[in-house]
Amino acid sequence: MTVAVVGGSGFIGTRLITLLRQAGHTVSNLDLQPSATHPDVTTIGDVRDPDAVRTALTGASAVVLLAAAHRDDVRPVSEYESVNVGGARVVAEVAAQTGVDRVVFTSTVSVYGLDKDRPSETSPPDPFNEYGRTKLVAESVLEEWVGQPGRDTGRTLFVVRPCVVFGETNRGNVYTLAHQLATGRFLFVGDGRNHKAMAYVGNVAAFLATGLTAAPGHHLVNYADTPDLSTTELVELMKSDLGRHQRTLPPIPKWLGLAAGHGFDALAWLVRRPLPISAVRIRKFCAETTVDTTRLHQTGFAPPFTLTDALHQTLAAEFPDGHVPA
């Protein structure tokens, strides 16, 4: 199959393109950034540029849309709407023009909001930030492209809502937590009883690839690797792997952590650059972020890696022998 990946130079995209090429697919990549791993199939371009997207999709059998504004500190805030919604609209329009009838799209569990009771794909959305809101709107844009339920258009939309994704080379929340533990700079906020849904990049890429063979129609699936770990369990697992067995400072209450986070937000505004501590990161750390994965299990997908093996593998790669890289 000829697959056009849009936004494939990043963390998930690099792993996915590697997997697709190993499986024998012909792959192209359109991204604002060059690809360190797949420069031979990468073209520099913007998902909001119809001409660039048209060139990428011409001759393709399927498109995987990964491009997104996703960091907590994107500025201006309008970039979320411009990239996430505008990009989805361009891909939908160009797919219709070029005859591409299969779209695989990475959304996010952020559409549900925080501290929900294991929301399923049918739970009412309640995004708490612009990233989640605009990803939800992007889903609706692509739903219009695939057609109304019960109407056979021959098109396929495969939407995956992953939770926090981690893995080797990623510098997201899981790495940040591990780095704080490895350097002795970790301060526990909250009671640690909240559970965190997590997903290993190798498993997410493998599941996205199954969208290339999904039946026509609209598919929507939460993705998380089980079992869900409590924050305390996650911290203790990481401390063990990193060889950091000493006791950490006593936890501080959530309200105090949030107050400190707002203080760092004010400082970040003054110095005009993001800081590693913020109110939204404290809020995420203390939040219950699990989702219902019944529909995922019903697909019959068998993840290549267990969650604990993936965590061990990631920590061993990023912190060999527990050492913090220079």
Side-chain angles (χ1 to χ4, degrees):
M1 182 180 289
T2 302
V3 183
V5 180
V6 180
S9 294
F11 176 50
I12 297 175
T14 297
R15 193 68 171 251
L16 176 63
I17 292 174
T18 298
L19 192 64
L20 295 179
R21 298 182 80 177
Q22 289 174 344
H25 296 290
T26 300
V27 185
S28 66
N29 174 38
L30 177 72
D31 200 297
L32 277 174
Q33 302 298 326
S35 170
T37 306
H38 302 286
D40 56 317
V41 299
T42 299
T43 300
I44 304 302
D46 195 317
V47 67
R48 296 167 289 187
D49 180 352
D51 291 334
V53 174
R54 186 174 297 106
T55 298
L57 267 59
T58 299
S61 307
V63 56
V64 180
L65 177 53
L66 299 171
H70 60 88
R71 291 174 56 95
D72 291 331
D73 53 2
V74 172
R75 294 294 182 273
V77 174
S78 59
E79 284 289 292
Y80 291 108
E81 180 83 20
S82 174
V83 176
N84 299 346
V85 179
R89 187 165 288 117
V90 168
V91 168
E93 292 172 352
V94 173
Q97 296 165 4
T98 56
V100 175
D101 60 6
R102 182 176 296 270
V103 175
V104 178
F105 177 59
T106 51
S107 185
T108 173
V109 296
S110 293
V111 302
Y112 301 119
L114 299 175
D115 292 313
K116 306 300 180 181
D117 184 18
R118 294 182 59 79
S120 72
E121 294 83 355
T122 59
S123 298
D126 184 26
F128 75 98
N129 59 12
E130 278 299 284
Y131 172 60
R133 184 192 71 79
T134 54
K135 277 290 194 174
L136 186 64
V137 176
E139 285 186 21
S140 68
V141 169
L142 295 170
E143 287 167 11
E144 292 179 7
W145 167 83
V146 77
Q148 297 298 318
R151 178 185 165 207
D152 184 10
T153 63
R155 293 174 175 172
T156 305
L157 174 61
F158 192 80
V159 178
V160 181
R161 290 175 175 171
C163 57
V164 60
V165 183
F166 73 95
E168 302 89 339
T169 76
N170 181 253
R171 295 296 181 265
N173 293 338
V174 174
Y175 175 86
T176 299
L177 173 59
H179 191 274
Q180 291 171 347
L181 288 166
T183 56
R185 298 172 182 169
F186 174 69
L187 182 61
F188 211 121
V189 180
D191 59 21
R193 291 181 292 183
N194 57 307
H195 287 75
K196 315 299 289 186
M198 303 169 66
Y200 179 57
V201 63
N203 294 337
V204 173
F207 187 63
L208 288 170
T210 69
L212 300 179
T213 56
H218 180 201
H219 307 265
L220 174 61
V221 186
N222 290 336
Y223 191 91
D225 288 320
T226 54
D228 298 321
L229 300 176
S230 71
T231 300
T232 296
E233 290 170 333
L234 176 61
V235 167
E236 291 304 315
L237 183 153
M238 286 184 166
K239 285 172 63 177
S240 177
D241 271 22
L242 295 168
R244 300 300 192 266
H245 301 292
Q246 70 274 21
R247 299 185 66 178
T248 55
L249 294 173
I252 66 172
K254 177 182 175 181
W255 67 266
L256 184 56
L258 285 172
H262 287 300
F264 276 98
D265 289 341
L267 179 59
W269 182 83
L270 287 172
V271 300
R272 296 294 190 270
R273 63 181 178 86
L275 298 174
I277 300 176
S278 67
V280 69
R281 288 178 178 171
I282 296 294
R283 186 180 176 196
K284 284 182 178 180
F285 181 81
C286 296
E288 184 82 12
T289 59
T290 55
V291 293
D292 186 284
T293 53
T294 300
R295 191 175 291 184
L296 170 64
H297 297 310
Q298 289 173 343
T299 68
F301 174 72
F305 306 89
T306 67
L307 177 60
T308 51
D309 283 349
L311 281 167
H312 294 323
Q313 182 174 305
T314 299
L315 292 173
E318 297 295 340
F319 304 91
D321 298 321
H323 295 148
V324 180

XYZ file of all heavy atoms in Angstrom, residues 14-98:
622
model
N 8.010 8.721 13.501
C 9.247 8.017 13.160
C 9.093 6.522 13.380
O 9.479 5.700 12.540
C 10.411 8.554 14.004
O 10.626 9.938 13.680
C 11.690 7.780 13.750
N 8.504 6.161 14.517
C 8.298 4.737 14.818
C 7.314 4.111 13.825
O 7.514 2.982 13.365
C 7.781 4.605 16.245
C 7.816 3.204 16.824
C 9.234 2.715 17.054
N 9.236 1.463 17.794
C 9.624 1.345 19.061
N 10.056 2.404 19.715
N 9.599 0.180 19.671
N 6.264 4.850 13.480
C 5.271 4.322 12.558
C 5.849 4.120 11.167
O 5.630 3.071 10.531
C 4.062 5.262 12.494
C 2.981 4.878 11.492
C 2.360 3.533 11.853
C 1.918 5.964 11.396
N 6.581 5.103 10.654
C 7.154 4.980 9.313
C 8.115 3.802 9.255
O 8.130 3.036 8.278
C 7.846 6.289 8.906
C 6.804 7.404 8.711
C 8.648 6.096 7.609
C 7.400 8.767 8.436
N 8.913 3.637 10.290
C 9.817 2.484 10.343
C 9.034 1.184 10.241
O 9.380 0.279 9.465
C 10.634 2.495 11.643
O 11.440 3.674 11.686
C 11.533 1.264 11.743
N 7.964 1.090 10.983
C 7.129 -0.111 10.993
C 6.490 -0.351 9.631
O 6.490 -1.486 9.116
C 6.049 0.039 12.065
C 5.242 -1.199 12.447
C 6.130 -2.244 13.074
C 4.121 -0.800 13.414
N 5.964 0.704 9.020
C 5.300 0.563 7.720
C 6.290 0.155 6.632
O 5.981 -0.690 5.779
C 4.612 1.874 7.339
C 3.447 2.318 8.238
C 2.876 3.649 7.746
C 2.357 1.259 8.288
N 7.464 0.740 6.657
C 8.469 0.383 5.641
C 8.951 -1.054 5.824
O 9.168 -1.774 4.851
C 9.634 1.369 5.684
C 9.229 2.797 5.370
C 10.410 3.750 5.362
N 11.160 3.682 4.105
C 12.200 4.457 3.818
N 12.644 5.330 4.726
N 12.819 4.360 2.668
N 9.095 -1.471 7.060
C 9.489 -2.852 7.318
C 8.433 -3.834 6.828
O 8.754 -4.960 6.426
C 9.736 -3.059 8.814
C 11.000 -2.379 9.339
C 11.134 -2.474 10.839
O 10.174 -2.781 11.558
N 12.333 -2.178 11.351
N 7.167 -3.396 6.839
C 6.068 -4.247 6.380
C 5.918 -4.231 4.863
O 5.052 -4.931 4.319
C 4.759 -3.813 7.037
N 6.723 -3.429 4.165
C 6.706 -3.412 2.717
C 5.856 -2.334 2.084
O 5.699 -2.311 0.850
N 5.305 -1.430 2.890
C 4.515 -0.338 2.337
C 5.423 0.729 1.717
O 6.567 0.921 2.148
C 3.662 0.320 3.430
C 2.631 -0.584 4.021
N 1.525 -1.001 3.329
C 2.554 -1.164 5.259
C 0.791 -1.784 4.109
N 1.390 -1.898 5.282
N 4.906 1.425 0.727
C 5.584 2.587 0.163
C 5.114 3.808 0.944
O 3.914 4.095 0.993
C 5.254 2.757 -1.325
O 5.672 1.592 -2.032
C 5.950 3.977 -1.909
N 6.036 4.512 1.564
C 5.670 5.569 2.501
C 6.300 6.899 2.099
O 7.465 6.951 1.689
C 6.118 5.212 3.937
C 5.627 6.266 4.931
C 5.607 3.834 4.332
N 5.516 7.984 2.230
C 6.052 9.337 2.108
C 5.717 10.087 3.382
O 4.775 9.737 4.100
C 5.451 10.066 0.898
O 4.052 10.279 1.084
N 6.471 11.125 3.663
C 6.288 11.900 4.879
C 6.322 13.386 4.564
O 7.268 13.875 3.945
C 7.393 11.564 5.897
C 7.343 12.451 7.138
O 6.269 12.781 7.625
N 8.508 12.829 7.650
N 5.293 14.097 4.991
C 5.233 15.558 4.870
C 5.299 16.138 6.269
O 4.479 15.800 7.130
C 3.937 15.996 4.191
C 3.729 17.515 4.075
C 4.668 18.110 3.039
C 2.265 17.826 3.707
N 6.265 17.014 6.514
C 6.429 17.567 7.856
C 7.156 18.901 7.769
O 7.948 19.126 6.847
C 7.226 16.592 8.738
C 7.029 16.842 10.225
O 7.394 17.939 10.706
O 6.520 15.942 10.903
N 6.900 19.760 8.745
C 7.620 21.029 8.828
C 9.082 20.813 9.179
O 9.929 21.653 8.881
C 6.974 21.922 9.892
C 5.758 22.749 9.483
C 5.175 23.444 10.699
C 6.117 23.751 8.412
N 9.361 19.684 9.850
C 10.716 19.392 10.289
C 11.298 18.231 9.483
O 10.581 17.320 9.090
C 10.729 19.024 11.780
C 10.156 20.088 12.685
C 10.936 21.382 12.638
O 12.160 21.367 12.481
N 10.247 22.514 12.763
N 12.610 18.239 9.250
C 13.232 17.089 8.585
C 13.174 15.858 9.483
O 13.012 15.967 10.701
C 14.678 17.555 8.357
C 14.907 18.606 9.387
C 13.593 19.289 9.598
N 13.294 14.698 8.874
C 13.298 13.447 9.623
C 14.724 12.934 9.747
O 15.398 12.705 8.729
C 12.428 12.398 8.930
O 12.595 11.131 9.520
N 15.185 12.728 10.977
C 16.527 12.208 11.180
C 16.631 10.753 10.761
O 17.696 10.290 10.335
C 16.914 12.352 12.651
N 15.532 10.031 10.836
C 15.543 8.596 10.543
C 15.132 8.284 9.111
O 15.636 7.335 8.503
C 14.608 7.856 11.518
O 14.971 8.193 12.865
C 14.683 6.351 11.337
N 14.217 9.073 8.559
C 13.686 8.785 7.223
C 13.781 10.005 6.298
O 12.779 10.433 5.715
C 12.229 8.325 7.326
C 12.039 7.108 8.178
N 12.403 5.848 7.755
C 11.545 6.968 9.433
C 12.138 4.967 8.705
N 11.616 5.615 9.730
N 14.975 10.565 6.113
C 15.094 11.759 5.260
C 14.795 11.461 3.800
O 14.391 12.365 3.058
C 16.562 12.171 5.458
C 17.262 10.916 5.842
C 16.279 10.150 6.665
N 14.985 10.214 3.374
C 14.808 9.867 1.971
C 13.354 9.881 1.514
O 13.075 9.941 0.312
C 15.413 8.485 1.677
C 14.853 7.392 2.561
O 14.700 7.636 3.781
O 14.571 6.285 2.050
N 12.412 9.844 2.465
C 10.999 9.848 2.076
C 10.286 11.095 2.596
O 9.058 11.186 2.526
C 10.277 8.583 2.588
C 10.905 7.335 1.982
C 10.270 8.516 4.112
N 11.054 12.069 3.102
C 10.471 13.238 3.746
C 10.540 14.471 2.866
O 11.578 14.775 2.278
C 11.177 13.525 5.084
O 11.009 12.405 5.956
C 10.607 14.769 5.755
N 9.414 15.187 2.805
C 9.317 16.473 2.119
C 8.918 17.517 3.158
O 8.025 17.275 3.968
C 8.271 16.435 0.998
O 8.635 15.435 0.046
C 8.170 17.794 0.312
N 9.585 18.648 3.143
C 9.255 19.717 4.084
C 8.016 20.456 3.591
O 7.961 20.912 2.445
C 10.430 20.698 4.238
C 11.698 19.945 4.668
C 10.080 21.787 5.251
C 11.557 19.183 5.971
N 7.019 20.549 4.456
C 5.782 21.224 4.084
C 4.845 21.327 5.267
O 5.034 20.664 6.292
N 3.821 22.150 5.117
C 2.898 22.476 6.200
C 1.551 21.801 5.947
O 1.023 21.859 4.824
C 2.718 23.994 6.267
C 2.075 24.466 7.561
O 1.108 23.826 8.019
O 2.545 25.482 8.123
N 0.981 21.186 6.972
C -0.323 20.538 6.847
C -1.410 21.533 6.471
O -2.454 21.164 5.931
C -0.683 19.807 8.164
C -0.908 20.807 9.295
C -1.904 18.924 7.992
N -1.175 22.811 6.708
C -2.168 23.843 6.370
C -2.053 24.321 4.932
O -2.869 25.138 4.489
C -2.003 25.029 7.332
C -2.292 24.699 8.776
C -1.829 25.775 9.724
N -0.359 25.826 9.812
C 0.318 26.585 10.666
N -0.346 27.368 11.516
N 1.628 26.576 10.689
N -1.061 23.824 4.206
C -0.810 24.234 2.824
C -1.456 23.229 1.871
O -0.953 22.117 1.704
C 0.690 24.305 2.580
C 1.051 24.736 1.164
O 0.148 24.837 0.308
O 2.250 24.945 0.906
N -2.561 23.585 1.201
C -3.248 22.628 0.328
C -2.359 22.081 -0.778
O -2.464 20.898 -1.131
C -4.416 23.440 -0.240
C -4.649 24.527 0.760
C -3.295 24.872 1.295
N -1.495 22.909 -1.331
C -0.629 22.436 -2.419
C 0.353 21.380 -1.919
O 0.579 20.358 -2.578
C 0.130 23.608 -3.042
C -0.785 24.549 -3.808
O -1.843 24.100 -4.285
O -0.441 25.744 -3.908
N 0.935 21.613 -0.750
C 1.876 20.646 -0.190
C 1.172 19.342 0.145
O 1.682 18.245 -0.129
C 2.546 21.217 1.051
N -0.017 19.442 0.723
C -0.767 18.239 1.080
C -1.227 17.502 -0.185
O -1.191 16.266 -0.244
C -1.967 18.595 1.979
C -2.836 17.370 2.238
C -1.481 19.184 3.302
N -1.617 18.247 -1.205
C -2.049 17.608 -2.457
C -0.901 16.826 -3.087
O -1.083 15.695 -3.560
C -2.579 18.663 -3.429
C -3.198 18.073 -4.707
C -3.823 19.162 -5.558
N -4.914 19.818 -4.870
C -4.859 21.036 -4.351
N -3.720 21.743 -4.442
N -5.897 21.552 -3.731
N 0.271 17.398 -3.092
C 1.431 16.686 -3.631
C 1.706 15.413 -2.837
O 2.009 14.357 -3.405
C 2.672 17.595 -3.593
O 2.432 18.744 -4.412
C 3.898 16.866 -4.112
N 1.578 15.501 -1.517
C 1.840 14.347 -0.654
C 0.814 13.238 -0.865
O 1.154 12.047 -0.840
C 1.857 14.779 0.803
N -0.452 13.612 -1.075
C -1.516 12.609 -1.139
C -1.728 12.033 -2.531
O -2.346 10.966 -2.673
C -2.839 13.201 -0.643
C -3.141 13.001 0.856
C -2.063 13.614 1.725
C -4.509 13.552 1.210
N -1.244 12.701 -3.556
C -1.463 12.220 -4.920
C -0.823 10.847 -5.103
O 0.365 10.658 -4.862
C -0.881 13.215 -5.944
O -1.554 14.480 -5.803
C -1.071 12.693 -7.355
N -1.634 9.891 -5.499
C -1.157 8.530 -5.718
C -1.178 7.656 -4.481
O -0.869 6.455 -4.566
N -1.552 8.216 -3.325
C -1.573 7.437 -2.086
C -2.888 6.680 -1.941
O -3.932 7.099 -2.447
C -1.371 8.348 -0.880
N -2.827 5.560 -1.239
C -4.026 4.779 -0.926
C -4.602 5.167 0.431
O -5.783 4.928 0.697
C -3.698 3.282 -0.911
O -3.072 2.879 -2.105
N -3.753 5.717 1.286
C -4.182 6.085 2.636
C -3.317 7.226 3.139
O -2.185 7.415 2.693
C -4.063 4.893 3.582
N -3.875 7.992 4.089
C -3.117 9.054 4.727
C -3.209 8.878 6.231
O -4.281 8.568 6.773
C -3.621 10.459 4.306
C -5.101 10.627 4.579
C -2.821 11.551 5.017
N -2.078 9.034 6.909
C -2.036 9.010 8.364
C -1.752 10.432 8.826
O -0.687 10.984 8.524
C -0.954 8.051 8.890
C -0.958 8.052 10.422
C -1.168 6.643 8.350
N -2.690 11.023 9.533
C -2.568 12.419 9.970
C -2.088 12.467 11.414
O -2.842 12.177 12.354
C -3.909 13.142 9.824
C -3.957 14.600 10.300
C -2.853 15.440 9.669
C -5.326 15.204 10.020
N -0.820 12.835 11.572
C -0.200 12.968 12.895
C 0.102 14.420 13.253
O 0.286 14.745 14.427
C 1.111 12.177 12.946
C 1.041 10.662 12.727
C 2.446 10.095 12.587
C 0.317 9.988 13.876
N 0.200 15.290 12.264
C 0.613 16.675 12.496
C -0.324 17.357 13.490
O -1.546 17.279 13.359
C 0.621 17.438 11.172
N 0.255 18.028 14.475
C -0.567 18.679 15.494
C 0.257 19.665 16.300
O 1.470 19.493 16.464
C -1.171 17.641 16.442
N -0.433 20.690 16.803
C 0.126 21.549 17.856
C -0.324 20.920 19.161
O -1.529 20.844 19.436
C -0.410 22.965 17.720
N 0.621 20.420 19.964
C 0.214 19.591 21.094
C 0.862 19.961 22.428
O 0.388 19.498 23.467
C 0.527 18.123 20.800
C 1.980 17.842 20.561
N 2.848 17.556 21.590
C 2.715 17.828 19.421
C 4.053 17.359 21.083
N 4.016 17.532 19.776
N 1.894 20.756 22.428
C 2.533 21.096 23.704
C 1.603 21.952 24.565
O 0.683 22.602 24.056
C 3.835 21.850 23.454
C 4.939 21.005 22.835
C 6.139 21.877 22.488
N 6.622 22.595 23.656
C 7.612 22.172 24.446
N 8.212 21.032 24.189
N 7.988 22.890 25.489
N 1.867 21.966 25.871
C 1.044 22.765 26.775
C 1.255 24.260 26.586
O 0.386 25.056 26.948
C 1.377 22.423 28.240
C 0.926 21.023 28.626
O -0.053 20.530 28.047
O 1.582 20.423 29.499
N 2.408 24.641 26.039
C 2.787 26.055 26.018
C 2.842 26.639 24.602
O 3.610 27.555 24.333
C 4.138 26.237 26.698
C 5.219 25.317 26.103
O 4.914 24.580 25.157
O 6.361 25.352 26.595
N 2.028 26.112 23.674
C 2.019 26.650 22.306
C 1.556 28.106 22.333
O 0.540 28.446 22.939
C 1.101 25.810 21.401
C 0.930 26.491 20.038
C 1.675 24.409 21.220
N 2.316 28.963 21.673
C 1.957 30.381 21.563
C 2.181 30.847 20.127
O 3.174 30.470 19.520
C 2.804 31.228 22.519
C 2.529 30.929 23.990
C 1.104 31.340 24.411
N 0.875 31.084 25.821
C 0.445 29.940 26.342
N 0.183 28.910 25.536
N 0.262 29.802 27.631
N 1.275 31.615 19.562
C 0.013 32.037 20.172
C -0.961 30.864 20.298
O -0.841 29.867 19.573
C -0.516 33.095 19.196
C 0.053 32.684 17.881
C 1.424 32.133 18.185
N -1.935 31.009 21.177
C -2.896 29.937 21.423
C -3.678 29.598 20.154
O -4.126 28.468 19.966
C -3.851 30.346 22.570
C -4.950 29.309 22.754
C -3.062 30.510 23.864
N -3.807 30.560 19.263
C -4.542 30.336 18.005
C -3.901 29.260 17.139
O -4.531 28.740 16.211
C -4.642 31.639 17.219
O -3.350 32.150 16.927
N -2.640 28.902 17.425
C -1.972 27.850 16.654
C -2.681 26.507 16.807
O -2.653 25.682 15.900
C -0.516 27.724 17.085
C 0.391 28.818 16.555
C 0.617 28.687 15.062
O 1.279 27.730 14.634
O 0.121 29.567 14.328
N -3.284 26.257 17.963
C -4.014 25.000 18.140
C -5.128 24.884 17.101
O -5.287 23.857 16.438
C -4.617 24.926 19.541
C -3.621 24.774 20.664
C -3.358 25.831 21.535
C -2.962 23.564 20.873
C -2.460 25.689 22.580
C -2.052 23.419 21.925
C -1.810 24.487 22.772
O -0.913 24.350 23.804
N -5.902 25.948 16.960
C -6.992 25.957 15.982
C -6.446 25.891 14.564
O -6.934 25.121 13.719
C -7.836 27.219 16.160
C -9.009 27.340 15.203
C -10.230 26.557 15.665
O -10.321 26.232 16.863
O -11.093 26.278 14.811
N -5.435 26.679 14.292
C -4.879 26.765 12.948
C -4.322 25.431 12.474
O -4.609 24.973 11.362
C -3.780 27.832 12.924
O -3.122 27.854 11.678
N -3.529 24.777 13.327
C -2.878 23.521 12.926
C -3.817 22.333 13.065
O -3.989 21.548 12.121
C -1.601 23.290 13.763
C -0.974 21.940 13.409
C -0.608 24.416 13.530
N -4.435 22.177 14.223
C -5.210 20.969 14.485
C -6.507 20.915 13.692
O -6.833 19.881 13.098
C -5.492 20.841 15.979
C -4.222 20.726 16.803
O -3.145 20.485 16.263
N -4.330 20.913 18.100
N -7.234 22.017 13.675
C -8.501 22.037 12.934
C -8.258 22.372 11.467
O -8.753 21.684 10.564
C -9.479 23.049 13.556
C -10.783 23.076 12.761
C -9.753 22.691 15.013
N -7.464 23.422 11.224
C -7.178 23.799 9.841
C -6.484 22.699 9.068
O -6.796 22.430 7.903
N -5.543 22.019 9.725
C -4.841 20.929 9.074
C -5.763 19.776 8.725
O -5.685 19.194 7.635
N -6.650 19.419 9.652
C -7.616 18.342 9.385
C -8.530 18.713 8.222
O -8.861 17.867 7.376
C -8.432 18.047 10.635
N -8.918 19.978 8.170
C -9.807 20.411 7.086
C -9.101 20.325 5.732
O -9.697 19.874 4.743
C -10.277 21.840 7.375
C -11.329 22.351 6.407
C -12.010 23.602 6.936
N -12.902 23.308 8.047
C -12.763 23.761 9.279
N -11.738 24.543 9.571
N -13.627 23.456 10.230
N -7.834 20.726 5.685
C -7.080 20.639 4.437
C -6.926 19.180 4.010
O -7.130 18.828 2.837
C -5.702 21.310 4.579
C -4.805 20.975 3.397
C -5.859 22.816 4.707
N -6.576 18.305 4.947
C -6.405 16.884 4.609
C -7.709 16.293 4.104
O -7.723 15.533 3.121
C -5.872 16.098 5.827
C -5.972 14.595 5.597
C -4.426 16.489 6.111
N -8.829 16.613 4.746
C -10.123 16.087 4.308
C -10.465 16.568 2.901
O -10.910 15.784 2.049
C -11.219 16.502 5.289
N -10.257 17.857 2.647
C -10.574 18.408 1.332
C -9.686 17.812 0.247
O -10.159 17.445 -0.835
C -10.433 19.927 1.367
C -11.488 20.619 2.225
C -11.222 22.107 2.405
O -10.131 22.567 1.985
O -12.093 22.798 2.992
N -8.391 17.691 0.526
C -7.467 17.161 -0.479
C -7.697 15.667 -0.686
O -7.602 15.164 -1.807
C -6.010 17.454 -0.073
C -5.039 16.759 -1.013
C -5.759 18.960 -0.068
N -8.017 14.948 0.386
C -8.316 13.523 0.245
C -9.506 13.318 -0.681
O -9.513 12.417 -1.541
C -8.590 12.900 1.609
N -10.513 14.166 -0.537
C -11.685 14.071 -1.421
C -11.316 14.384 -2.864
O -11.798 13.729 -3.804
C -12.775 15.024 -0.931
N -10.445 15.348 -3.060
C -10.044 15.736 -4.412
C -9.164 14.701 -5.092
O -9.248 14.496 -6.303
C -9.295 17.077 -4.363
C -10.147 18.244 -3.896
C -9.308 19.462 -3.515
O -8.080 19.459 -3.664
N -9.954 20.506 -3.010
N -8.314 14.035 -4.316
C -7.342 13.103 -4.898
C -7.800 11.653 -4.861
O -7.096 10.764 -5.346
C -5.995 13.208 -4.157
O -6.199 12.966 -2.751
C -5.375 14.579 -4.349
